[in-house]
Amino acid sequence: MKNKSFLYRNSLSIVFLTLFIVTLCAQALTGWKEHNQELADDHASEIPFLTYLHTGHFVSSTFENFQSEFLQMALYVVMTVGLRQQGSAESKSLDKKEEVDREPNPNKKDAPWPVRRGGIWLKLYSHSLSIAFFTLFFFSWGMHLYGSWMDNNAEQAVKGKAFQIITQYIAGPRFWFETFQNWQSEFLSVLSIVVLTIFLRQKGSSESKPVDAPHMETGK
C-alpha cells in the first residue's frame, strides 16, 4: 500500500467528491438564475447569489435529491441482508454463507475498536451503515420539507396569497409530488443494476460479475 500514492488509494472518493462539488455549484448558479427569472416574471425584486443560498428554493431542490439518494442506499443496505436475486452481482449467494455473515472476531488484528469493546458498541457498529443512511435520510427529508415549505410561502407572498403553516402545507400535494417523483427514480435505478448485472458485464468493475461468469451465477 505504501507504494501507491494517496490519490491512487482514494481516487474513487476524490473523483465523486469533486463531481459532487462541481455539480452542486452548477445547481446553485443555475437555480439562482432561474429563481430570479421567476421573481422577475412576478414583478418582484431579484436577489443576490448569497441570499439565494438561504432561500427555500435552493434548500428544497438540494435536499429533495439528497433524501431520495439516502433512502435508496439505506433500503439497499438493509434489504440485501435477507433478500436475493438469482444471477445478480448485487445479491448474496442463494445457498451459502458469505464473509459478511460471519460473527465478528474481537481478537482479529486491526479490528475496529467497537468490535474489540463488544456489548452495545458492537451491536450498534454491526448496524452502523444502515443507521447512518437512515439518519441522513430523515435529516434530508426534514430539510426538504422545510425548504419546500419556505419556497411555497415565498411564492404565496409574491402572489398576495395567505401564509400556510407547515401542517397545512404537508397535507397538500406539492411536497409529496416532489418526494415521490424522486423516490420512484431511485427505486428504478436500484432495480436496474440488480437486474442488468444478471446479463450484462463491465470488465474490471467491482459492481459486475466476471465477464465469463454464467448468467445465473449469483454474486460477484
Side-chain angles (χ1 to χ4, degrees):
M1 182 152 323
K2 293 180 180 179
N3 295 329
K4 305 295 184 182
S5 69
F6 175 84
L7 290 177
Y8 179 88
R9 288 182 281 115
N10 300 280
S11 56
L12 191 58
S13 58
I14 290 171
V15 167
F16 273 99
L17 177 60
T18 302
L19 289 171
F20 167 71
I21 293 172
V22 169
T23 52
L24 181 62
C25 291
Q27 176 207 325
L29 181 61
T30 54
W32 170 56
K33 291 181 178 295
E34 180 197 25
H35 188 55
N36 274 337
Q37 182 61 59
E38 292 173 351
L39 291 173
D41 291 343
D42 290 327
H43 308 289
S45 301
E46 295 186 1
I47 59 175
F49 180 70
L50 292 180
T51 301
Y52 171 71
L53 298 180
H54 296 88
T55 63
H57 189 276
F58 177 72
V59 173
S60 174
S61 61
T62 300
F63 286 97
E64 177 183 342
N65 291 290
F66 285 7
Q67 55 103 358
S68 61
E69 298 293 341
F70 291 133
L71 176 63
Q72 175 205 67
M73 297 309 299
L75 291 178
Y76 194 44
V77 166
V78 171
M79 289 185 178
T80 52
V81 174
L83 302 182
R84 304 288 187 271
Q85 175 55 57
Q86 184 177 16
S88 176
E90 299 301 311
S91 170
K92 292 196 298 184
S93 173
L94 299 178
D95 54 9
K96 64 182 179 182
K97 291 283 187 178
E98 298 198 359
E99 184 71 4
V100 293
D101 295 313
R102 66 175 176 79
E103 291 299 317
N105 180 8
N107 298 315
K108 184 179 181 180
K109 182 181 178 182
D110 297 329
W113 75 264
V115 177
R116 300 194 304 271
R117 184 74 177 269
I120 186 63
W121 298 108
L122 174 57
K123 187 71 174 177
L124 289 172
Y125 188 69
S126 297
H127 302 282
S128 56
L129 186 58
S130 59
I131 291 171
F133 276 127
F134 275 117
T135 300
L136 289 168
F137 161 66
F138 285 115
F139 172 75
S140 299
W141 184 88
M143 290 299 294
H144 170 214
L145 172 59
Y146 174 69
S148 185
W149 172 59
M150 285 200 308
D151 187 43
N152 177 73
N153 277 325
E155 292 177 7
Q156 296 283 92
V158 168
K159 296 175 181 178
K161 297 183 178 180
F163 177 89
Q164 285 186 316
I165 61 174
I166 198 166
T167 52
Q168 290 175 314
Y169 178 66
I170 200 173
R174 173 173 167 172
F175 170 71
W176 294 107
F177 171 70
E178 295 172 349
T179 297
F180 289 132
Q181 69 177 336
N182 280 274
W183 288 7
Q184 55 86 12
S185 65
E186 300 304 330
F187 297 151
L188 179 62
S189 68
V190 172
L191 175 64
S192 298
I193 194 169
V194 167
V195 174
L196 291 178
T197 56
I198 298 174
F199 307 104
L200 305 180
R201 309 287 186 268
Q202 180 60 55
K203 185 177 180 181
S205 174
S206 62
E207 297 304 308
S208 170
K209 293 187 292 187
V211 176
D212 59 356
H215 289 328
M216 290 301 103
E217 179 179 302
T218 305
K220 296 181 177 67

